[in-house]
Amino acid sequence: MALSRIACVGAGYVGGPSCSVIALKCPHLHVTVCDINADVIDAWQSDTLPVHEPGLQEVIEQTRKHGNLTFTTDVHAPLARAQVIYMCVDTPPKAYGTGKELAADTCNLERAVRNVAHVENECRKQGENITPKVLVIKSTVPVGTCHIMRDILRQQGVHNIAVASNPEFLAEGTAISDMLDPSRVVIGTDPEDQHARILLSTLYSNWIDAGRIVHVDTKSSELCKLVSNALLAQRISSINCVAALCESVGADVAQVSRTAGMDPRIGSKFLNASIGFGGSCFRKDVMSLANISMQNNLRTESEYWRSIVLINEHSKRRFVNRVVQAMFGNVRGKRIALFGFAFKKDTGDVRDTASADIVSWLLEERAIVGVYDPQVQEEDMRSEVRKSVERNSIDLIDQKNLHHHETSHDAARGAHAIIIGTEWDEFRGRAGHEHDVNYGQLYSTMSKPAFLFDGRRVVNAQELRDIGFVAYVIGQ
Ligand code: UGA
């Protein structure tokens, strides 16, 4: 039967943008995105989308005109009628019990798959026509999950649904262009599900060259997502180790990474030294890889993967130690302005952001921290700091010493130091850019000596020193 209907379970960061692009590029198909969260569905139907991504609004508007993309809280009818069902539910780090903070929590995925089986069995009971379907797992999952989900379906008496893996490689801020023009589309199927392989391949070939559609088995597909993120994270931890060494020996990490990256075998991307990587995926996926290695009795390999995260934690800690040391060994009662709280620029997302740990360690040192970020909401900032405090087992934190400011000026006024935590363009302080921070003006309102610690390498340190700042740039 020709493909005409697609359903997607999960209207979050992956499901929404992915299905919008599928609907845009396949106007002959009807795509329905389901979620039990009515607020999220309402938002997808409104003019204020729940996900902020460049180009997303335009894609949604086009699909609205065409009428082939629906968002709904009905997690029954769309599943019954679809030939392809995408699973885009969250798989966060497990926050309890066995594998706490290590394993990915697949309970939402399992529940969603059981619901698919339930819908299918209900249809059968009603005597409805049962068609072959493909369940496509887009969520990032431990290796072997497709096999488990296939088993669950079969144990529930469902034999007409094939299971495929199709991991997501979207990065925040570029999700739409990543989906429109992906580096690769990975389709994982097992020998018994070859029709799923053909169906998905045909779907993506509506806008993607055959050369970029890669066919592998489900376990390799699941693993390739974890490995891709682990290799990207590994590069950042490696360059952050180099940054520490550069500071000690008087070299410049930018010069080292640029020249090393000119070797095409190495490449230049993901070699920017920073206070540490953040975001909802890198730590979770590297730890998941470490956990899977451990479960397979690969202790040394597991420790290798874990060390990527340990170095990341250490990089953030080293940065705070450097701040405290530079400010005469104590920051108690001193005001510190943090510029940037999001985990990277062009997003308001704060999940696992390095800035949260920087804040909580500064609060532990009894500093008074004032945060300014052009996109981050105060309640998101406070809640992420609370998580960091808990994760790092920090005692005696007084959130009264944590403030949120609407402008960089308000944050810096009277402060002893500025820390740059996110690489927003406006923090570069470029002459002639009216939206950029004017460090000369800020300096005049700060306590002296005025320190500036750049954890993202966005400023020109010499220019700041010329103004009068005591400036420190990571890796210099
Ligand atoms: C990452 C991957 O890049 C995507 O391919 C993947 O699909 C996604 O995770 C996911 O699994 O969902 P994302 O977390 O949105 O995407 O952001 P990245 O651009 O990868 O940045 C992650 C972190 O690394 C940020 O905190 C960023 O500031 C930091 N980073 C990045 C550095 O510190 N240095 C660099 O050179 C690059």
Side-chain angles (χ1 to χ4, degrees):
M1 188 197 280
L3 177 58
S4 59
R5 287 189 168 271
I6 292 178
C8 170
V9 181
Y13 183 76
V14 170
S18 308
C19 285
S20 312
V21 171
I22 293 174
L24 178 80
K25 290 293 176 183
C26 306
H28 55 291
L29 301 180
H30 196 279
V31 183
T32 307
V33 184
C34 331
D35 202 299
I36 47 173
N37 185 332
D39 291 343
V40 170
I41 294 299
D42 286 349
W44 279 109
Q45 288 164 340
S46 76
D47 288 334
T48 315
L49 301 178
V51 170
H52 169 75
E53 274 298 325
L56 178 61
Q57 186 76 44
E58 290 80 354
V59 172
I60 291 283
E61 272 161 25
Q62 289 191 50
T63 58
R64 278 180 187 159
K65 272 188 211 140
H66 196 75
N68 69 327
L69 176 65
T70 309
F71 290 92
T72 174
T73 50
D74 180 358
V75 289
H76 224 266
L79 303 185
R81 299 171 69 194
Q83 293 115 344
V84 167
I85 303 173
Y86 279 107
M87 287 286 146
C88 297
V89 296
D90 59 334
T91 49
K94 213 168 161 226
Y96 52 87
T98 330
K100 184 176 175 185
E101 293 295 331
L102 280 173
D105 192 341
T106 53
C107 80
N108 287 343
L109 177 68
E110 184 177 333
R111 197 176 302 131
V113 171
R114 285 177 185 274
N115 181 49
V116 169
H118 170 73
V119 170
E120 206 60 15
N121 285 328
E122 283 295 302
C123 290
R124 190 172 291 117
K125 271 192 223 150
Q126 307 294 324
E128 285 176 28
N129 201 7
I130 299 295
T131 54
K133 291 183 167 64
V134 183
L135 185 90
V136 186
I137 300 186
K138 258 198 180 300
S139 308
T140 302
V141 291
V143 64
T145 301
C146 281
H147 282 234
I148 294 170
M149 297 307 153
R150 187 185 294 120
D151 250 20
I152 290 175
L153 291 172
R154 302 296 174 261
Q155 296 286 334
Q156 304 272 324
V158 174
H159 295 275
N160 60 312
I161 302 185
V163 179
S165 162
N166 176 216
E168 194 48 78
F169 297 102
L170 308 176
E172 285 193 33
T174 55
I176 297 301
S177 56
D178 290 344
M179 185 75 191
L180 288 170
D181 186 23
S183 55
R184 74 287 202 201
V185 171
V186 177
I187 298 175
T189 49
D190 293 323
E192 63 265 46
D193 292 331
Q194 286 315 295
H195 66 287
R197 171 191 150 120
I198 297 164
L199 193 74
L200 291 175
S201 202
T202 312
L203 169 65
Y204 287 114
S205 62
N206 279 295
W207 76 99
I208 297 160
D209 306 338
R212 279 188 279 167
I213 301 176
V214 189
H215 293 282
V216 294
D217 59 73
T218 54
K219 287 187 178 175
S220 303
S221 173
E222 291 162 340
L223 204 47
C224 104
K225 168 64 196 249
L226 298 179
V227 169
S228 297
N229 274 356
L231 292 178
L232 291 170
Q234 173 265 320
R235 283 171 72 92
I236 302 168
S237 280
S238 296
I239 206 66
N240 284 341
C241 288
V242 177
L245 187 58
C246 286
E247 289 173 25
S248 299
V249 301
D252 178 1
V253 71
Q255 297 184 34
V256 178
S257 66
R258 190 173 71 241
T259 44
M262 285 170 81
D263 182 334
R265 293 172 302 174
I266 298 170
S268 60
K269 306 235 170 84
F270 273 72
L271 285 182
N272 291 325
S274 67
I275 39 173
F277 57 75
S280 63
C281 303
F282 279 3
R283 183 159 64 100
K284 165 175 85 84
D285 293 351
V286 175
M287 290 311 249
S288 176
L289 197 53
N291 190 48
I292 296 165
S293 302
M294 195 58 129
Q295 286 169 338
N296 286 279
N297 297 318
L298 300 168
R299 176 178 288 274
T300 308
E301 290 79 354
S302 173
E303 279 168 8
Y304 171 73
W305 296 120
R306 268 182 96 124
S307 71
I308 294 170
V309 172
L310 291 179
I311 290 291
N312 198 50
E313 297 305 301
H314 173 74
S315 300
K316 293 179 270 188
R317 188 85 241 191
R318 192 179 73 82
F319 183 79
V320 172
N321 289 347
R322 182 72 196 258
V323 170
V324 175
Q325 197 186 19
M327 295 176 75
F328 318 117
N330 86 81
V331 291
R332 183 175 188 155
K334 293 179 184 169
R335 290 193 45 211
I336 298 181
L338 177 68
F339 284 8
F341 193 84
F343 85 98
K344 65 177 186 182
K345 72 172 182 176
D346 297 333
T347 174
D349 194 341
V350 298
R351 287 175 294 172
D352 226 355
T353 179
S355 288
D357 287 339
I358 304 297
V359 168
S360 49
W361 286 324
L362 288 173
L363 292 177
E364 187 181 35
E365 293 286 340
R366 309 291 186 266
I368 302 163
V369 183
V371 175
Y372 163 69
D373 186 291
Q375 281 285 333
V376 172
Q377 305 296 321
E378 177 168 3
E379 61 193 66
D380 294 340
M381 182 269 282
R382 288 193 184 277
S383 126
E384 200 58 30
V385 169
R386 268 195 295 278
K387 284 184 206 154
S388 160
V389 164
E390 199 179 310
R391 195 175 54 242
N392 291 303
S393 311
I394 294 172
D395 289 333
L396 299 168
I397 284 293
D398 190 349
Q399 283 245 5
K400 286 205 291 290
N401 282 341
L402 177 59
H403 304 275
H404 180 266
H405 296 283
E406 294 301 326
T407 68
S408 53
H409 270 274
D410 290 346
R413 195 173 301 115
H416 294 251
I418 293 171
I419 291 177
I420 298 176
T422 310
E423 71 282 20
W424 289 101
D425 287 339
E426 66 184 83
F427 300 148
R428 293 170 70 184
R430 297 159 297 179
H433 286 77
E434 61 167 324
H435 296 300
D436 276 21
V437 161
N438 182 330
Y439 286 106
Q441 276 178 14
L442 295 188
Y443 179 79
S444 64
T445 68
M446 291 174 67
S447 287
K448 306 296 180 314
F451 293 88
L452 187 138
F453 302 93
D454 181 359
R456 291 291 186 163
R457 304 186 51 86
V458 294
V459 299
N460 180 327
Q462 195 48 54
E463 281 176 16
L464 292 175
R465 289 183 191 122
D466 291 346
I467 292 171
F469 277 102
V470 180
Y472 158 77
V473 175
I474 206 157
Q476 253 178 25

